[in-house]
Amino acid sequence: MEKLENPLKVLFEANPLPMWIFDSKTLQFLAVNESAILHYGYSHQEFSKMTLLDIRPSEDIPCLTKTLAKVARHKGVMDSGEWRHVRRDGSMIYVEVASQPVRYAGHNARLSMLNDVTERKITEAALRSSEARLKEAQEVAGLGSWECYGEKGGGSVFSEEMYRIFGVPPGEELDHNAMINAMHPDDRERMRALLEGIELDPHDFDTVFRVLKPDGSIRYVHAQGHLFHDGAGKPCKMTGTAQDITDRVKAEEVRLRNAQLEAANRELEAFSYSVSHDLRSPLRSIDAFGKLLREEYGNRLDEN
């Protein structure tokens, strides 16, 4: 490949990021720097026989064609976005591409600089997967999480499950007033006083309240919060959870009713035994006197 002449020569050859020049019409590689050789695994000779299409997954080529048509009309430096490239060993990488038009060896060409963002993409994908698993776990457990930070909880972040617990559609504002309004009327004043007290004097809390759903059903919620301090000992944020424990509460109510019923049955059994025991002696006496009466006077007693 013909060498690039100044003033771009130093930038091109010494840049730690992969760079190349390709013909604007044929898309053939005209020059590549050493960083591109090392990063992609192709030799200079191999690159000289390739075009931009050869390093792209086939399914990305239609989009590339449209983008190149747009790029061709742009006279300055242009960020053409994020793309997938295939290296010589077949591995796929993600790169951000910025390019500008240049005149090289008699060709109308473009000089491209590439930034490999594969690790960032992998990290982002792992984070999305982790967030999806957390979301699913919270939905299954009926457990929402939240975080308040800044002075008097100036900023707040709520998980999606928090919106479901309080019956607030995602996208609408979820704040203290929305939470209070969703609660059972008998619990509102107590919880309003609790939340206002935490704003004035931040502290940990652990409480249970009821949420009144639009359909009239009542859900029990266990909420708790933990206060964090900065290096100077000043409160900096509070995080916590809110969990729908309705099933647990109902199960406990059933357990208590069963325990009460079992206790009542035991008392009834004890009473029945006591009555049976107390009546046993009088009944034996009556039976004995009846036998004597039948034996001694049975043939002398008429119907009257």
Side-chain angles (χ1 to χ4, degrees), residues 180-190 192 210-212 218:
I180 293 295
N181 291 335
M183 293 178 187
H184 191 283
D186 294 344
D187 293 346
R188 288 175 185 169
E189 289 305 316
R190 174 176 63 86
R192 182 178 286 109
R210 293 166 294 176
V211 170
L212 182 61
I218 296 175

Side-chain angles (χ1 to χ4, degrees), residues 131 134 138 144-150 152-163 166 172-176 179 224 237-242:
E131 289 176 343
L134 176 60
Q138 288 192 347
S145 58
W146 53 269
E147 178 177 314
C148 293
Y149 51 90
K152 293 186 178 181
S156 300
V157 178
F158 301 96
S159 70
E160 287 190 20
E161 191 60 26
M162 290 289 292
Y163 289 84
F166 286 94
E172 293 189 10
E173 186 175 5
L174 181 61
D175 55 15
H176 287 179
M179 293 179 186
Q224 53 186 345
K237 71 174 182 178
M238 175 175 280
T239 64
T241 59

Side-chain angles (χ1 to χ4, degrees), residues 66-199:
K66 293 180 181 179
T67 301
L68 289 174
K70 184 190 302 182
V71 168
R73 297 190 296 269
H74 200 278
K75 302 304 181 182
V77 177
M78 181 177 179
D79 182 356
S80 59
E82 187 177 279
W83 296 91
R84 296 188 301 172
H85 285 178
V86 181
R87 295 195 289 194
R88 193 178 190 280
D89 62 5
S91 61
M92 187 89 71
I93 61 174
Y94 292 84
V95 296
E96 292 176 337
V97 181
S99 67
Q100 69 179 68
V102 294
R103 184 71 181 171
Y104 179 77
H107 296 266
N108 291 324
R110 290 197 74 88
L111 169 67
S112 297
M113 183 167 63
L114 308 105
N115 180 30
D116 190 332
V117 295
T118 306
E119 290 189 8
R120 188 188 73 192
K121 294 287 291 186
I122 293 174
T123 301
E124 290 174 349
L127 179 59
R128 286 194 298 270
S129 177
S130 177
E131 289 176 343
R133 290 195 299 270
L134 176 60
K135 178 183 174 182
E136 291 173 356
Q138 288 192 347
E139 186 173 353
V140 170
L143 177 67
S145 58
W146 53 269
E147 178 177 314
C148 293
Y149 51 90
E151 187 175 356
K152 293 186 178 181
S156 300
V157 178
F158 301 96
S159 70
E160 287 190 20
E161 191 60 26
M162 290 289 292
Y163 289 84
R164 278 189 285 271
I165 288 174
F166 286 94
V168 176
E172 293 189 10
E173 186 175 5
L174 181 61
D175 55 15
H176 287 179
N177 289 331
M179 293 179 186
I180 293 295
N181 291 335
M183 293 178 187
H184 191 283
D186 294 344
D187 293 346
R188 288 175 185 169
E189 289 305 316
R190 174 176 63 86
M191 291 304 299
R192 182 178 286 109
L194 173 66
L195 294 175
E196 290 176 352
I198 292 172
E199 285 188 352

Side-chain angles (χ1 to χ4, degrees), residues 9 12 21 27 35 78-79 89 102 106 108 135 153 169 190 194 205 225 240 267 271 275 287 294-295:
K9 179 179 179 180
F12 187 79
I21 298 175
L27 307 184
S35 295
M78 181 177 179
D79 182 356
D89 62 5
V102 294
N108 291 324
K135 178 183 174 182
R190 174 176 63 86
L194 173 66
F205 70 91
E267 292 178 1
F271 176 74
V275 170
D287 183 61
R294 185 176 62 248
E295 293 174 356

Side-chain angles (χ1 to χ4, degrees), residues 262-277:
E262 290 176 1
N265 286 336
R266 287 193 296 270
E267 292 178 1
L268 182 59
E269 290 174 358
F271 176 74
S272 298
Y273 176 81
S274 176
V275 170
S276 174
H277 182 272

